[in-house]
Amino acid sequence: MGALPVYRWRLAPDGLATRRQLRARGLRPGGQPVAAQLEQPRRRRGPLVAYLYRIDLAKPVRPMTPGRIAALQAAMAARRTCPSCRRDAGYCIPPTLGMCVPCAYPDGQRDAA
């Protein structure tokens, strides 16, 4: 088993890209193995690592189907629905509160910070 080539941060050769870079081009790795890795050294912790994939082997991103669109809309609606009053808050409920702001602060008083 061969080791992966390791490149310093921002010094990867042309033809290789991270997942985010592939996604920005409308591509996905498509099941190909990792071709190389980037490392950015840090002082007190281990290095930051990003995996690189070959652009020529990448496949186009699959289009959204009606079922996936409906599932995404249902998930976002669940994140916006307050469990206390069962109303759509119009924003994603903060996990720190666990409910919409009017339910969390019924007197209209918030912590003055």
Side-chain angles (χ1 to χ4, degrees):
M1 180 169 130
L4 289 175
V6 178
Y7 300 103
R8 299 266 313 191
W9 210 254
R10 299 180 191 258
L11 296 177
D14 292 337
L16 297 177
T18 63
R19 283 182 179 266
R20 286 189 180 192
Q21 291 168 339
L22 288 175
R23 188 62 172 202
R25 295 180 181 200
L27 301 171
R28 62 187 169 95
Q32 65 173 298
V34 175
Q37 72 181 24
L38 290 176
E39 284 190 357
Q40 180 180 18
R42 298 190 291 182
R43 292 181 187 219
R44 293 188 175 94
R45 293 180 277 175
L48 286 174
V49 176
Y51 297 111
L52 298 171
Y53 300 91
R54 290 180 45 186
I55 295 173
D56 59 339
L57 297 179
K59 297 179 180 178
V61 174
R62 289 181 229 145
M64 289 289 281
T65 63
R68 290 174 70 188
I69 292 171
L72 182 59
Q73 289 174 344
M76 291 306 294
R79 289 184 67 192
R80 289 190 314 264
T81 304
C82 176
S84 297
C85 63
R86 295 286 183 204
R87 285 185 287 182
D88 186 346
Y91 53 87
C92 289
I93 304 294
T96 54
L97 295 178
M99 58 186 70
C100 64
V101 174
C103 291
Y105 304 104
D107 298 334
Q109 295 182 1
R110 289 187 178 171
D111 294 336

